[in-house]
Amino acid sequence: ADLVRKGIAEGSFEPVDADTAAQALLSLAVGIILQGVLDPPAARWARVTQDTIGLVGQGIGRCGGPHQGRKQS
């Protein structure tokens, strides 16, 4: 959660509940690892990881990176 708080303080992340965001990030990471271990051929796990990071970045990240200029809903 401290890393999320730091990102919020420096303006890299949107203001979100840092504890909840950290738990969600950890849950995503563990889920990807478990899926990769239990069913390795099911997906290209490196790509799944990159896509997940991109989606999280879109959700709490502030401008920049490959998703800059994305449409707002």
Side-chain angles (χ1 to χ4, degrees), residues 4 12-14 16 21-22 24-26 28-29 32 49-62 67 70:
V4 175
S12 296
F13 295 156
E14 294 288 340
V16 296
L25 292 170
L26 181 60
L28 283 169
I32 291 170
T49 302
Q50 289 176 338
D51 290 347
T52 301
I53 291 168
L55 288 171
V56 169
Q58 284 180 331
I60 67 171
R62 294 209 174 188
H67 303 289
R70 65 186 163 84

Side-chain angles (χ1 to χ4, degrees), residues 2-14:
D2 289 338
L3 190 58
V4 175
R5 284 187 193 89
K6 182 179 177 185
I8 293 167
E10 70 184 18
S12 296
F13 295 156
E14 294 288 340

Side-chain angles (χ1 to χ4, degrees), residues 14-39:
E14 294 288 340
V16 296
D17 181 282
D19 292 322
T20 301
Q23 184 64 52
L25 292 170
L26 181 60
S27 296
L28 283 169
V30 169
I32 291 170
I33 291 167
L34 279 174
Q35 287 180 312
V37 168
L38 295 174
D39 195 4

